[in-house]
Amino acid sequence: MKKETQAILLRIFIGEDDRHEGRPLYKHLVELFRKEGLAGATVLRGTDGFGKTSHYHTTSILRLSTDLPIVIEVVDTREKIDHILPKLEGIVTSGLITEEKVTIVFYEGDETKAG
């Protein structure tokens, strides 16, 4: 069975070396989202990228970077995203935050079938 609902995808672009109170920022954000009861969060580590300074970050052995791009993705209702955004203002001091409307598609299996 398939169910669909509307939600907001929040993406936070930061660097791997970004910190909050001495801890990696991405870890702090994931814990904050969990504590605030958001549906879930995923941290993606980029292999290549650059930001507003145009400084190139890569995992290439010839240009090994320690500050690789990090993207944290959170999908939840508009109300929950609106609730969390003000809390990010004092925490994400450099980087980029985007949001977009998305459709969530849930697929539920037939529980009568044993597999």
Side-chain angles (χ1 to χ4, degrees):
M1 181 173 182
K2 175 177 152 182
K3 289 193 231 174
E4 293 186 12
T5 188
Q6 298 300 306
I8 300 297
L9 167 60
L10 189 70
R11 281 192 186 109
I12 304 167
F13 297 81
I14 59 174
E16 191 175 35
D17 286 348
D18 290 342
R19 298 273 185 259
H20 180 74
E21 297 177 352
R23 296 185 56 228
L25 177 57
Y26 66 92
K27 288 183 183 259
H28 178 79
L29 290 171
V30 169
E31 288 176 13
L32 173 66
F33 298 148
R34 185 169 169 254
K35 184 179 91 177
E36 292 292 326
L38 275 81
T42 300
V43 177
L44 307 167
R45 184 176 188 233
T47 58
D48 290 271
F50 68 92
K52 68 179 181 177
T53 63
S54 293
H55 182 82
Y56 187 63
H57 303 271
T58 181
T59 56
S60 167
I61 196 72
L62 299 175
R63 292 186 53 163
L64 192 57
S65 174
T66 58
D67 189 24
L68 292 169
I70 296 285
V71 179
I72 302 125
E73 293 191 340
V74 181
V75 178
D76 213 313
T77 63
R78 165 56 69 194
E79 295 78 22
K80 286 193 173 186
I81 296 297
D82 284 348
H83 175 75
I84 201 72
L85 281 173
K87 297 180 181 200
L88 298 179
E89 288 181 20
I91 298 172
V92 180
T93 56
S94 66
L96 177 71
I97 298 175
T98 65
E99 64 177 64
E100 61 188 86
K101 293 178 186 177
V102 295
T103 300
I104 299 174
V105 180
F106 293 100
Y107 291 94
E108 295 179 355
D110 184 357
E111 293 182 17
T112 62
K113 293 181 182 178

